[in-house]
Amino acid sequence: MKAGSECRPTLRVRITAIAVIAILLAVAVSDSMIWMMFRHTLLNEAEQTLLRKNIAVQYDYLKFLNHIEDEPTDFQLQYYFKQYADDYVICLRDSTEIYNQTILKLSDLQRIAWNTTSQSKDTAIAKLKVSDRKLLVVKTAYSGGIAAYVVHDLSDVMYRLRLLALEMLGILLGVCIMAVSVLYLLLRRTLKPLGVLSDSTKQIAAGAYHERAAVSSQDEIGMLAADFNKMADAVQEKIASLADSEQRKTMFMADFSHELKTPLTAISGYAQTLRTVKLSEEEQAEALGFIYSESKRLDRLAKKMMRLMQLDRTESLQMTGIGCAELLNAVIAACKPIANQMDICLKIESCSGQISGDYDLLHDALCNLTENAMKFSHAGQTVLLGAENGCITVKDSGCGISADEIKNLTEPFYMVDKSRSRQSGGVGLGLSLVQQILQLHGAEMEIESQIGVGTTVKLHFVYTPLNT
């Protein structure tokens, strides 16, 4: 049996036990109340029977007194009660026993605590226990110091009460057996989905992240299964995201190592040549120029890597209102020297409104986009910058990019034309930087391109009263 299977019956047993205990307590309380009411009724009936018998004894005794003129003697009393032939009647005169055929002794009668009855002030009643037998006794006082005691044995009442108690105990046990059986079966059926849910969790824990629990009801257990499936979906997405992130990191490190290897190899090779080979001044100048250009590329690579790491650690930005015209003019001013060297014209077309964001980061992003546009433009062409309705565009008329390449442009170190990018000093981190900057601003980048026609990059900022 599986570990999960061992736990599930335990839960059923616990719930069944709690329910059965509650049912038993309820039945026991109700049985106790019924038994007490029945006992009270039987004792009242016995008391009423005894009082009626006492009235009959009084009536017969008064008839006996009418047949004699004076107070009856002890002999007469003894003779009368023997003739009366009632083994449950006692007669005393001045605390002296005249007639007694019961199990009671004079000492038993003397220790009784009497309670008066509603019959008369001369009549009292009491309960007592003698030799494990419960008795009900009524006492009536007559003239001449004579007292008659009528005894009623409660053995029959006690027997009926014991019989009732046994019957109720049998009912209690029957209810217990039925409750355990019914509850166990009902709970087994009700909690079965939890077993299925447990099996699903084990399969997911074992690596089957596609596994889902079956939602078979609309009750709390069904809701739990639905919530579990939502959690499993989120976990699967998170795992896929982590796996993708890990793969991206691996590729990033591989690309980064490759990017470092190329300039380092060139620098090492030219330095070794300068050390070991006698070169002309022109060849030395050329070698030093290669070393200088590759070291500058390493410097740019290091700076952009640092910038990427800084963006990863950025938790919040100081958002301010930025005029679009001011921002685009600053970008053109920063990119003007490179544009002049490449014989590229930078121009602002329509420009209106303002956006909310970090000025320095947005300046970096637009400079990267403008430099990319210039790299893929030909001499004499124009790169257009514009802003309208919270959207900034950078447009060139260069060679264009294929649809298959566009989706990979924001990957670190990805280059559409590696030879052309290296010749222009690129390191393949520009659009990755732009993408992270836009994510920090909650903005989106849209790239439209056509081979031989050119490329347009649109930065869409979320609409706010500032982003207009």
Side-chain angles (χ1 to χ4, degrees):
M1 185 179 289
K2 298 179 180 178
S5 300
E6 293 175 356
C7 294
R8 291 195 295 271
T10 302
L11 179 61
R12 287 202 296 269
V13 168
R14 288 179 180 176
I15 297 177
T16 302
I18 293 172
V20 168
I21 289 172
I23 293 172
L24 289 180
L25 286 175
V27 174
V29 170
S30 62
D31 284 354
S32 299
M33 294 178 64
I34 293 172
W35 188 86
M36 293 295 292
M37 292 171 62
F38 191 71
R39 176 178 179 273
H40 181 72
T41 301
L42 290 179
L43 290 177
N44 278 342
E45 289 180 356
E47 184 176 326
Q48 294 302 318
T49 300
L50 180 61
L51 291 174
R52 286 194 296 271
K53 185 176 181 180
N54 184 57
I55 291 173
V57 171
Q58 290 181 31
Y59 178 76
D60 292 339
Y61 180 71
L62 291 176
K63 283 175 63 178
F64 162 70
L65 292 180
N66 290 333
H67 290 85
I68 58 175
E69 296 179 357
D70 299 323
E71 288 289 331
T73 64
D74 292 347
F75 177 78
Q76 289 175 322
L77 287 173
Q78 191 175 36
Y79 176 79
Y80 167 74
F81 281 107
K82 283 183 178 180
Q83 293 297 317
Y84 193 73
D86 193 333
D87 292 338
Y88 290 95
V89 177
I90 302 172
C91 180
L92 299 181
R93 169 173 273 171
D94 297 329
S95 301
T96 302
E97 194 174 272
I98 303 297
Y99 176 82
N100 184 7
Q101 298 296 319
T102 69
I103 63 171
L104 292 175
K105 299 177 181 179
L106 184 60
S107 58
D108 296 327
L109 298 175
Q110 291 174 346
R111 64 182 176 85
I112 294 176
W114 298 97
N115 296 314
T116 58
T117 66
S118 58
Q119 281 190 348
S120 70
K121 63 180 181 178
D122 295 326
T123 303
I125 194 168
K127 296 189 187 88
L128 74 158
K129 184 177 181 181
V130 178
S131 301
D132 296 329
R133 293 176 66 181
K134 290 186 177 181
L135 304 173
L136 196 61
V137 182
V138 65
K139 169 188 174 184
T140 303
Y142 298 98
S143 61
I146 299 171
Y149 298 82
V150 181
V151 181
H152 183 76
D153 195 342
L154 295 177
S155 297
D156 181 62
V157 172
M158 294 299 106
Y159 172 76
R160 293 174 66 184
L161 288 175
R162 284 194 296 271
L163 187 62
L164 178 62
L166 290 174
E167 290 175 351
M168 287 183 169
L169 181 60
I171 293 173
L172 190 65
L173 292 176
V175 169
C176 178
I177 294 171
M178 290 181 61
V180 169
S181 303
V182 173
L183 282 172
Y184 191 84
L185 292 175
L186 288 176
L187 286 172
R188 183 178 181 181
R189 181 177 179 182
T190 303
L191 298 178
K192 186 177 180 180
L194 288 180
V196 176
L197 184 60
S198 177
D199 293 337
S200 298
T201 59
K202 291 183 180 67
Q203 293 181 31
I204 292 175
Y209 300 116
H210 63 279
E211 184 68 24
R212 294 295 180 270
V215 181
S216 57
S217 62
Q218 299 298 320
D219 56 9
E220 287 80 358
I221 295 179
M223 293 171 61
L224 176 63
D227 292 338
F228 171 81
N229 288 338
K230 291 179 182 178
M231 181 195 69
D233 290 338
V235 169
Q236 186 177 14
E237 291 176 5
K238 187 66 175 177
I239 290 174
S241 175
L242 290 173
D244 183 63
S245 175
E246 189 66 26
Q247 185 178 7
R248 287 173 181 270
K249 287 180 181 179
T250 302
M251 293 176 62
F252 179 88
M253 293 306 298
D255 290 341
F256 181 57
S257 300
H258 178 73
E259 291 296 325
L260 285 178
K261 181 180 179 181
T262 302
L264 286 175
T265 301
I267 292 172
S268 176
Y270 280 107
Q272 184 68 17
T273 301
L274 288 173
R275 286 183 59 197
T276 59
V277 180
K278 188 174 182 180
L279 302 175
S280 62
E281 290 185 3
E282 184 179 349
E283 291 173 334
Q284 288 180 3
E286 183 182 358
L288 290 173
F290 273 114
I291 292 174
Y292 177 76
S293 64
E294 292 301 313
S295 64
K296 290 294 289 183
R297 194 153 75 88
L298 277 176
D299 181 58
R300 288 193 299 272
L301 178 61
K303 288 179 179 177
K304 294 212 172 185
M305 286 292 298
M306 289 296 294
R307 193 61 164 159
L308 279 173
M309 288 188 288
Q310 288 173 358
L311 290 176
D312 283 339
R313 292 193 296 267
T314 301
E315 295 180 357
S316 61
L317 300 178
Q318 295 296 326
M319 309 291 277
T320 58
I322 304 170
C324 292
E326 174 192 355
L327 179 60
L328 295 186
N329 282 320
V331 171
I332 288 181
C335 297
K336 194 74 173 178
I338 302 175
N340 290 338
Q341 293 176 11
M342 301 175 66
D343 192 19
I344 301 293
C345 178
L346 298 178
K347 189 175 180 180
I348 296 178
E349 44 182 2
S350 59
C351 184
S352 61
Q354 63 176 2
I355 57 175
S356 175
D358 185 292
Y359 181 88
D360 292 331
L361 289 179
L362 292 176
H363 183 274
D364 285 352
L366 288 171
C367 284
N368 272 289
L369 291 176
T370 304
E371 289 175 3
N372 280 344
M374 291 189 295
K375 290 173 187 176
F376 291 94
S377 297
H378 303 292
Q381 291 184 330
T382 300
V383 173
L384 298 174
L385 284 75
E388 189 175 3
N389 297 327
C391 176
I392 298 178
T393 60
V394 178
K395 182 179 180 181
D396 65 67
S397 304
C399 58
I401 307 168
S402 66
D404 293 336
E405 301 282 356
I406 289 176
K407 61 183 180 180
N408 299 319
L409 288 178
T410 56
E411 296 295 325
F413 299 112
Y414 185 83
M415 300 180 188
V416 176
D417 186 345
K418 294 185 180 292
S419 61
R420 182 184 178 95
S421 297
R422 287 199 173 91
Q423 289 172 6
S424 58
V427 294
L429 291 173
L431 286 179
S432 181
L433 274 169
V434 173
Q435 182 70 12
Q436 289 202 37
I437 291 171
L438 292 178
Q439 286 177 353
L440 291 173
H441 286 80
E444 294 182 354
M445 178 167 59
E446 179 186 1
I447 302 176
E448 299 175 353
S449 186
Q450 188 175 349
I451 299 295
V453 177
T455 302
T456 300
V457 180
K458 297 180 180 180
L459 308 183
H460 298 280
F461 290 83
V462 178
Y463 175 79
T464 67
L466 287 176
N467 295 338
T468 57

PDB file of all heavy atoms in Angstrom, residues 393-422:
ATOM      1  N   THR A 393       9.056  56.788 -32.682  1.00  0.00           N
ATOM      2  CA  THR A 393       9.477  55.933 -33.798  1.00  0.00           C
ATOM      3  C   THR A 393      10.885  56.288 -34.253  1.00  0.00           C
ATOM      4  O   THR A 393      11.307  57.452 -34.193  1.00  0.00           O
ATOM      5  CB  THR A 393       8.515  56.078 -34.997  1.00  0.00           C
ATOM      6  OG1 THR A 393       8.501  57.447 -35.430  1.00  0.00           O
ATOM      7  CG2 THR A 393       7.102  55.656 -34.618  1.00  0.00           C
ATOM      8  N   VAL A 394      11.605  55.249 -34.679  1.00  0.00           N
ATOM      9  CA  VAL A 394      12.920  55.403 -35.309  1.00  0.00           C
ATOM     10  C   VAL A 394      12.846  54.635 -36.626  1.00  0.00           C
ATOM     11  O   VAL A 394      12.635  53.421 -36.624  1.00  0.00           O
ATOM     12  CB  VAL A 394      14.051  54.864 -34.414  1.00  0.00           C
ATOM     13  CG1 VAL A 394      15.391  55.013 -35.129  1.00  0.00           C
ATOM     14  CG2 VAL A 394      14.082  55.588 -33.069  1.00  0.00           C
ATOM     15  N   LYS A 395      13.031  55.349 -37.737  1.00  0.00           N
ATOM     16  CA  LYS A 395      12.807  54.748 -39.062  1.00  0.00           C
ATOM     17  C   LYS A 395      14.017  54.947 -39.952  1.00  0.00           C
ATOM     18  O   LYS A 395      14.589  56.043 -40.006  1.00  0.00           O
ATOM     19  CB  LYS A 395      11.567  55.395 -39.694  1.00  0.00           C
ATOM     20  CG  LYS A 395      11.179  54.836 -41.040  1.00  0.00           C
ATOM     21  CD  LYS A 395       9.919  55.535 -41.545  1.00  0.00           C
ATOM     22  CE  LYS A 395       9.492  54.997 -42.901  1.00  0.00           C
ATOM     23  NZ  LYS A 395       8.274  55.679 -43.412  1.00  0.00           N
ATOM     24  N   ASP A 396      14.415  53.858 -40.646  1.00  0.00           N
ATOM     25  CA  ASP A 396      15.518  53.976 -41.609  1.00  0.00           C
ATOM     26  C   ASP A 396      15.070  53.404 -42.944  1.00  0.00           C
ATOM     27  O   ASP A 396      14.015  52.772 -43.045  1.00  0.00           O
ATOM     28  CB  ASP A 396      16.761  53.232 -41.097  1.00  0.00           C
ATOM     29  CG  ASP A 396      16.546  51.738 -40.997  1.00  0.00           C
ATOM     30  OD1 ASP A 396      16.377  51.087 -42.042  1.00  0.00           O
ATOM     31  OD2 ASP A 396      16.565  51.201 -39.852  1.00  0.00           O
ATOM     32  N   SER A 397      15.883  53.653 -43.957  1.00  0.00           N
ATOM     33  CA  SER A 397      15.612  53.160 -45.322  1.00  0.00           C
ATOM     34  C   SER A 397      16.694  52.194 -45.753  1.00  0.00           C
ATOM     35  O   SER A 397      17.055  52.142 -46.940  1.00  0.00           O
ATOM     36  CB  SER A 397      15.506  54.332 -46.302  1.00  0.00           C
ATOM     37  OG  SER A 397      14.518  55.257 -45.887  1.00  0.00           O
ATOM     38  N   GLY A 398      17.207  51.418 -44.789  1.00  0.00           N
ATOM     39  CA  GLY A 398      18.338  50.535 -45.047  1.00  0.00           C
ATOM     40  C   GLY A 398      17.940  49.219 -45.675  1.00  0.00           C
ATOM     41  O   GLY A 398      16.917  49.088 -46.351  1.00  0.00           O
ATOM     42  N   CYS A 399      18.752  48.187 -45.368  1.00  0.00           N
ATOM     43  CA  CYS A 399      18.598  46.892 -46.025  1.00  0.00           C
ATOM     44  C   CYS A 399      17.400  46.093 -45.534  1.00  0.00           C
ATOM     45  O   CYS A 399      16.933  45.169 -46.193  1.00  0.00           O
ATOM     46  CB  CYS A 399      19.874  46.068 -45.848  1.00  0.00           C
ATOM     47  SG  CYS A 399      20.297  45.806 -44.105  1.00  0.00           S
ATOM     48  N   GLY A 400      16.879  46.428 -44.338  1.00  0.00           N
ATOM     49  CA  GLY A 400      15.726  45.712 -43.805  1.00  0.00           C
ATOM     50  C   GLY A 400      16.100  44.395 -43.136  1.00  0.00           C
ATOM     51  O   GLY A 400      17.234  43.920 -43.227  1.00  0.00           O
ATOM     52  N   ILE A 401      15.125  43.812 -42.435  1.00  0.00           N
ATOM     53  CA  ILE A 401      15.334  42.572 -41.670  1.00  0.00           C
ATOM     54  C   ILE A 401      14.211  41.611 -42.015  1.00  0.00           C
ATOM     55  O   ILE A 401      13.043  42.008 -42.122  1.00  0.00           O
ATOM     56  CB  ILE A 401      15.339  42.848 -40.147  1.00  0.00           C
ATOM     57  CG1 ILE A 401      16.344  43.956 -39.798  1.00  0.00           C
ATOM     58  CG2 ILE A 401      15.616  41.596 -39.348  1.00  0.00           C
ATOM     59  CD1 ILE A 401      16.194  44.473 -38.387  1.00  0.00           C
ATOM     60  N   SER A 402      14.522  40.329 -42.147  1.00  0.00           N
ATOM     61  CA  SER A 402      13.504  39.325 -42.461  1.00  0.00           C
ATOM     62  C   SER A 402      12.631  39.064 -41.235  1.00  0.00           C
ATOM     63  O   SER A 402      13.041  39.288 -40.095  1.00  0.00           O
ATOM     64  CB  SER A 402      14.160  38.023 -42.915  1.00  0.00           C
ATOM     65  OG  SER A 402      14.884  37.433 -41.846  1.00  0.00           O
ATOM     66  N   ALA A 403      11.425  38.565 -41.483  1.00  0.00           N
ATOM     67  CA  ALA A 403      10.477  38.301 -40.391  1.00  0.00           C
ATOM     68  C   ALA A 403      11.016  37.260 -39.413  1.00  0.00           C
ATOM     69  O   ALA A 403      10.771  37.329 -38.202  1.00  0.00           O
ATOM     70  CB  ALA A 403       9.141  37.832 -40.966  1.00  0.00           C
ATOM     71  N   ASP A 404      11.778  36.296 -39.882  1.00  0.00           N
ATOM     72  CA  ASP A 404      12.338  35.262 -38.998  1.00  0.00           C
ATOM     73  C   ASP A 404      13.383  35.833 -38.060  1.00  0.00           C
ATOM     74  O   ASP A 404      13.598  35.296 -36.964  1.00  0.00           O
ATOM     75  CB  ASP A 404      12.963  34.143 -39.842  1.00  0.00           C
ATOM     76  CG  ASP A 404      11.919  33.373 -40.637  1.00  0.00           C
ATOM     77  OD1 ASP A 404      10.742  33.389 -40.215  1.00  0.00           O
ATOM     78  OD2 ASP A 404      12.270  32.778 -41.672  1.00  0.00           O
ATOM     79  N   GLU A 405      14.065  36.903 -38.502  1.00  0.00           N
ATOM     80  CA  GLU A 405      15.126  37.482 -37.683  1.00  0.00           C
ATOM     81  C   GLU A 405      14.579  38.418 -36.608  1.00  0.00           C
ATOM     82  O   GLU A 405      15.187  38.579 -35.552  1.00  0.00           O
ATOM     83  CB  GLU A 405      16.101  38.260 -38.575  1.00  0.00           C
ATOM     84  CG  GLU A 405      16.776  37.438 -39.654  1.00  0.00           C
ATOM     85  CD  GLU A 405      17.914  36.601 -39.105  1.00  0.00           C
ATOM     86  OE1 GLU A 405      18.213  36.716 -37.908  1.00  0.00           O
ATOM     87  OE2 GLU A 405      18.490  35.828 -39.871  1.00  0.00           O
ATOM     88  N   ILE A 406      13.415  39.031 -36.871  1.00  0.00           N
ATOM     89  CA  ILE A 406      12.906  40.076 -35.978  1.00  0.00           C
ATOM     90  C   ILE A 406      12.681  39.539 -34.559  1.00  0.00           C
ATOM     91  O   ILE A 406      13.018  40.206 -33.571  1.00  0.00           O
ATOM     92  CB  ILE A 406      11.601  40.671 -36.549  1.00  0.00           C
ATOM     93  CG1 ILE A 406      11.923  41.507 -37.790  1.00  0.00           C
ATOM     94  CG2 ILE A 406      10.895  41.544 -35.506  1.00  0.00           C
ATOM     95  CD1 ILE A 406      10.697  42.062 -38.478  1.00  0.00           C
ATOM     96  N   LYS A 407      12.139  38.323 -34.440  1.00  0.00           N
ATOM     97  CA  LYS A 407      11.799  37.780 -33.114  1.00  0.00           C
ATOM     98  C   LYS A 407      13.031  37.540 -32.243  1.00  0.00           C
ATOM     99  O   LYS A 407      12.915  37.418 -31.018  1.00  0.00           O
ATOM    100  CB  LYS A 407      11.011  36.487 -33.256  1.00  0.00           C
ATOM    101  CG  LYS A 407      11.762  35.378 -33.977  1.00  0.00           C
ATOM    102  CD  LYS A 407      10.890  34.159 -34.150  1.00  0.00           C
ATOM    103  CE  LYS A 407      11.647  33.041 -34.872  1.00  0.00           C
ATOM    104  NZ  LYS A 407      10.801  31.836 -35.060  1.00  0.00           N
ATOM    105  N   ASN A 408      14.221  37.456 -32.857  1.00  0.00           N
ATOM    106  CA  ASN A 408      15.447  37.182 -32.090  1.00  0.00           C
ATOM    107  C   ASN A 408      16.274  38.436 -31.809  1.00  0.00           C
ATOM    108  O   ASN A 408      17.329  38.346 -31.190  1.00  0.00           O
ATOM    109  CB  ASN A 408      16.323  36.181 -32.856  1.00  0.00           C
ATOM    110  CG  ASN A 408      15.633  34.852 -33.062  1.00  0.00           C
ATOM    111  OD1 ASN A 408      14.976  34.346 -32.162  1.00  0.00           O
ATOM    112  ND2 ASN A 408      15.772  34.287 -34.258  1.00  0.00           N
ATOM    113  N   LEU A 409      15.800  39.596 -32.270  1.00  0.00           N
ATOM    114  CA  LEU A 409      16.626  40.797 -32.201  1.00  0.00           C
ATOM    115  C   LEU A 409      16.951  41.233 -30.775  1.00  0.00           C
ATOM    116  O   LEU A 409      18.012  41.811 -30.535  1.00  0.00           O
ATOM    117  CB  LEU A 409      15.931  41.957 -32.933  1.00  0.00           C
ATOM    118  CG  LEU A 409      15.902  41.846 -34.458  1.00  0.00           C
ATOM    119  CD1 LEU A 409      15.144  43.013 -35.053  1.00  0.00           C
ATOM    120  CD2 LEU A 409      17.323  41.798 -35.017  1.00  0.00           C
ATOM    121  N   THR A 410      16.043  40.968 -29.830  1.00  0.00           N
ATOM    122  CA  THR A 410      16.270  41.436 -28.452  1.00  0.00           C
ATOM    123  C   THR A 410      17.107  40.462 -27.628  1.00  0.00           C
ATOM    124  O   THR A 410      17.358  40.718 -26.443  1.00  0.00           O
ATOM    125  CB  THR A 410      14.928  41.674 -27.738  1.00  0.00           C
ATOM    126  OG1 THR A 410      14.154  40.487 -27.778  1.00  0.00           O
ATOM    127  CG2 THR A 410      14.161  42.809 -28.402  1.00  0.00           C
ATOM    128  N   GLU A 411      17.516  39.339 -28.208  1.00  0.00           N
ATOM    129  CA  GLU A 411      18.377  38.397 -27.494  1.00  0.00           C
ATOM    130  C   GLU A 411      19.786  38.979 -27.374  1.00  0.00           C
ATOM    131  O   GLU A 411      20.309  39.557 -28.325  1.00  0.00           O
ATOM    132  CB  GLU A 411      18.448  37.058 -28.228  1.00  0.00           C
ATOM    133  CG  GLU A 411      17.125  36.325 -28.318  1.00  0.00           C
ATOM    134  CD  GLU A 411      16.616  35.905 -26.956  1.00  0.00           C
ATOM    135  OE1 GLU A 411      17.461  35.557 -26.108  1.00  0.00           O
ATOM    136  OE2 GLU A 411      15.402  35.951 -26.733  1.00  0.00           O
ATOM    137  N   PRO A 412      20.433  38.841 -26.214  1.00  0.00           N
ATOM    138  CA  PRO A 412      21.806  39.354 -26.050  1.00  0.00           C
ATOM    139  C   PRO A 412      22.758  38.704 -27.057  1.00  0.00           C
ATOM    140  O   PRO A 412      22.703  37.498 -27.298  1.00  0.00           O
ATOM    141  CB  PRO A 412      22.170  38.957 -24.615  1.00  0.00           C
ATOM    142  CG  PRO A 412      20.858  38.804 -23.914  1.00  0.00           C
ATOM    143  CD  PRO A 412      19.909  38.290 -24.955  1.00  0.00           C
ATOM    144  N   PHE A 413      23.603  39.520 -27.679  1.00  0.00           N
ATOM    145  CA  PHE A 413      24.655  39.117 -28.628  1.00  0.00           C
ATOM    146  C   PHE A 413      24.104  38.658 -29.977  1.00  0.00           C
ATOM    147  O   PHE A 413      24.868  38.201 -30.815  1.00  0.00           O
ATOM    148  CB  PHE A 413      25.554  38.003 -28.052  1.00  0.00           C
ATOM    149  CG  PHE A 413      26.273  38.412 -26.803  1.00  0.00           C
ATOM    150  CD1 PHE A 413      25.964  37.836 -25.586  1.00  0.00           C
ATOM    151  CD2 PHE A 413      27.252  39.390 -26.842  1.00  0.00           C
ATOM    152  CE1 PHE A 413      26.619  38.210 -24.430  1.00  0.00           C
ATOM    153  CE2 PHE A 413      27.918  39.773 -25.696  1.00  0.00           C
ATOM    154  CZ  PHE A 413      27.598  39.188 -24.486  1.00  0.00           C
ATOM    155  N   TYR A 414      22.778  38.747 -30.164  1.00  0.00           N
ATOM    156  CA  TYR A 414      22.253  38.340 -31.472  1.00  0.00           C
ATOM    157  C   TYR A 414      22.514  39.440 -32.491  1.00  0.00           C
ATOM    158  O   TYR A 414      22.253  40.625 -32.233  1.00  0.00           O
ATOM    159  CB  TYR A 414      20.756  38.059 -31.387  1.00  0.00           C
ATOM    160  CG  TYR A 414      20.201  37.517 -32.694  1.00  0.00           C
ATOM    161  CD1 TYR A 414      20.306  36.166 -33.000  1.00  0.00           C
ATOM    162  CD2 TYR A 414      19.609  38.377 -33.630  1.00  0.00           C
ATOM    163  CE1 TYR A 414      19.829  35.665 -34.197  1.00  0.00           C
ATOM    164  CE2 TYR A 414      19.133  37.877 -34.830  1.00  0.00           C
ATOM    165  CZ  TYR A 414      19.248  36.527 -35.111  1.00  0.00           C
ATOM    166  OH  TYR A 414      18.781  36.045 -36.299  1.00  0.00           O
ATOM    167  N   MET A 415      23.034  39.057 -33.643  1.00  0.00           N
ATOM    168  CA  MET A 415      23.311  40.001 -34.718  1.00  0.00           C
ATOM    169  C   MET A 415      22.761  39.436 -36.022  1.00  0.00           C
ATOM    170  O   MET A 415      22.988  38.266 -36.344  1.00  0.00           O
ATOM    171  CB  MET A 415      24.816  40.249 -34.865  1.00  0.00           C
ATOM    172  CG  MET A 415      25.481  40.814 -33.618  1.00  0.00           C
ATOM    173  SD  MET A 415      27.233  41.075 -33.868  1.00  0.00           S
ATOM    174  CE  MET A 415      27.757  41.484 -32.218  1.00  0.00           C
ATOM    175  N   VAL A 416      22.043  40.305 -36.772  1.00  0.00           N
ATOM    176  CA  VAL A 416      21.500  39.868 -38.056  1.00  0.00           C
ATOM    177  C   VAL A 416      22.631  39.594 -39.036  1.00  0.00           C
ATOM    178  O   VAL A 416      22.691  38.567 -39.695  1.00  0.00           O
ATOM    179  CB  VAL A 416      20.544  40.945 -38.619  1.00  0.00           C
ATOM    180  CG1 VAL A 416      20.044  40.532 -40.007  1.00  0.00           C
ATOM    181  CG2 VAL A 416      19.372  41.162 -37.660  1.00  0.00           C
ATOM    182  N   ASP A 417      23.585  40.515 -39.109  1.00  0.00           N
ATOM    183  CA  ASP A 417      24.755  40.354 -39.979  1.00  0.00           C
ATOM    184  C   ASP A 417      25.981  40.569 -39.115  1.00  0.00           C
ATOM    185  O   ASP A 417      26.378  41.701 -38.850  1.00  0.00           O
ATOM    186  CB  ASP A 417      24.705  41.378 -41.130  1.00  0.00           C
ATOM    187  CG  ASP A 417      25.819  41.154 -42.144  1.00  0.00           C
ATOM    188  OD1 ASP A 417      26.770  40.421 -41.813  1.00  0.00           O
ATOM    189  OD2 ASP A 417      25.729  41.721 -43.252  1.00  0.00           O
ATOM    190  N   LYS A 418      26.573  39.484 -38.617  1.00  0.00           N
ATOM    191  CA  LYS A 418      27.663  39.584 -37.651  1.00  0.00           C
ATOM    192  C   LYS A 418      28.869  40.312 -38.219  1.00  0.00           C
ATOM    193  O   LYS A 418      29.510  41.106 -37.533  1.00  0.00           O
ATOM    194  CB  LYS A 418      28.072  38.187 -37.159  1.00  0.00           C
ATOM    195  CG  LYS A 418      26.978  37.489 -36.351  1.00  0.00           C
ATOM    196  CD  LYS A 418      27.463  36.190 -35.792  1.00  0.00           C
ATOM    197  CE  LYS A 418      26.375  35.505 -34.983  1.00  0.00           C
ATOM    198  NZ  LYS A 418      26.052  36.224 -33.771  1.00  0.00           N
ATOM    199  N   SER A 419      29.212  40.029 -39.480  1.00  0.00           N
ATOM    200  CA  SER A 419      30.394  40.681 -40.061  1.00  0.00           C
ATOM    201  C   SER A 419      30.178  42.181 -40.163  1.00  0.00           C
ATOM    202  O   SER A 419      31.049  42.981 -39.833  1.00  0.00           O
ATOM    203  CB  SER A 419      30.692  40.084 -41.435  1.00  0.00           C
ATOM    204  OG  SER A 419      29.588  40.296 -42.309  1.00  0.00           O
ATOM    205  N   ARG A 420      28.979  42.594 -40.579  1.00  0.00           N
ATOM    206  CA  ARG A 420      28.682  44.017 -40.725  1.00  0.00           C
ATOM    207  C   ARG A 420      28.652  44.695 -39.355  1.00  0.00           C
ATOM    208  O   ARG A 420      29.157  45.805 -39.183  1.00  0.00           O
ATOM    209  CB  ARG A 420      27.332  44.180 -41.430  1.00  0.00           C
ATOM    210  CG  ARG A 420      26.953  45.645 -41.675  1.00  0.00           C
ATOM    211  CD  ARG A 420      25.561  45.711 -42.285  1.00  0.00           C
ATOM    212  NE  ARG A 420      25.175  47.096 -42.489  1.00  0.00           N
ATOM    213  CZ  ARG A 420      25.331  47.755 -43.635  1.00  0.00           C
ATOM    214  NH1 ARG A 420      25.908  47.144 -44.659  1.00  0.00           N
ATOM    215  NH2 ARG A 420      24.942  49.005 -43.762  1.00  0.00           N
ATOM    216  N   SER A 421      28.082  44.008 -38.349  1.00  0.00           N
ATOM    217  CA  SER A 421      27.985  44.587 -37.017  1.00  0.00           C
ATOM    218  C   SER A 421      29.353  44.781 -36.402  1.00  0.00           C
ATOM    219  O   SER A 421      29.624  45.796 -35.753  1.00  0.00           O
ATOM    220  CB  SER A 421      27.131  43.690 -36.108  1.00  0.00           C
ATOM    221  OG  SER A 421      25.813  43.625 -36.599  1.00  0.00           O
ATOM    222  N   ARG A 422      30.236  43.821 -36.592  1.00  0.00           N
ATOM    223  CA  ARG A 422      31.562  43.956 -35.998  1.00  0.00           C
ATOM    224  C   ARG A 422      32.353  45.053 -36.696  1.00  0.00           C
ATOM    225  O   ARG A 422      33.147  45.756 -36.092  1.00  0.00           O
ATOM    226  CB  ARG A 422      32.302  42.620 -36.077  1.00  0.00           C
ATOM    227  CG  ARG A 422      31.747  41.603 -35.083  1.00  0.00           C
ATOM    228  CD  ARG A 422      32.719  40.473 -34.817  1.00  0.00           C
ATOM    229  NE  ARG A 422      32.212  39.633 -33.744  1.00  0.00           N
ATOM    230  CZ  ARG A 422      31.450  38.562 -33.933  1.00  0.00           C
ATOM    231  NH1 ARG A 422      31.123  38.219 -35.149  1.00  0.00           N
ATOM    232  NH2 ARG A 422      31.026  37.873 -32.902  1.00  0.00           N
TER     233      ARG A 422
END
